[in-house]
């Protein structure tokens, strides 16, 4: 269920790491990138990097791998697969902070 506050972007439901971990196969593949969870199941057979590359990162945080192998514009394509936000419990790592240069480039691409 999507929740939206006045003047803000829509936010998805909170998804635990346990829930995310259940979606780790080609026919049910979710992954987290920068704290956002995406259901990339429909993209798996189309992924230019191959089936294995995306499925092996299903059910977990794929931030570093995603950012290392995709141009900034690719992150915009993820939006249509958005499910929700990772619910951090203190036991699982949060994705690393973006460098100022990377953050600036993302802002330019998005506007």
């Amino acid at each position: 269920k999507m929740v939206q506050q006045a003047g803000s972007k829509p936010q998805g439901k909170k998804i635990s790491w346990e829930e995310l971990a259940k979606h780790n196969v080609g026919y049910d593949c979710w992954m987290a990138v920068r704290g956002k969870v995406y259901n990339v199941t429909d993209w798996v057979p189309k992924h230019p990097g191959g089936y294995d590359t995306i499925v092996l990162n299903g059910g977990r945080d794929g931030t570093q791998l995603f950012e290392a192998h995709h141009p900034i514009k690719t992150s915009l394509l993820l939006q249509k697969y958005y499910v929700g936000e990772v619910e951090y419990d203190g036991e699982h790592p949060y994705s690393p902070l973006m460098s100022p240069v990377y953050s600036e480039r993302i802002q330019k691409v998005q506007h």
Side-chain angles (χ1 to χ4, degrees), residues 28-91:
D28 182 17
C29 189
W30 293 12
M31 66 186 310
V33 176
R34 293 257 168 237
K36 296 183 185 313
V37 177
Y38 302 94
N39 179 348
V40 294
T41 305
D42 290 343
W43 182 246
V44 168
K46 304 173 201 168
H47 187 242
Y51 175 93
D52 291 344
T53 306
I54 195 167
V55 174
L56 288 173
N57 287 281
R60 57 184 166 161
D61 188 321
T63 300
Q64 290 182 325
L65 186 67
F66 180 85
E67 291 180 351
H69 295 281
H70 296 90
I72 295 169
K73 288 190 278 187
T74 306
S75 62
L76 299 175
L77 298 174
L78 280 176
Q79 293 174 6
K80 70 179 179 179
Y81 300 107
Y82 177 76
V83 175
E85 307 285 325
V86 174
E87 183 174 53
Y88 289 99
D89 58 10
E91 291 188 27

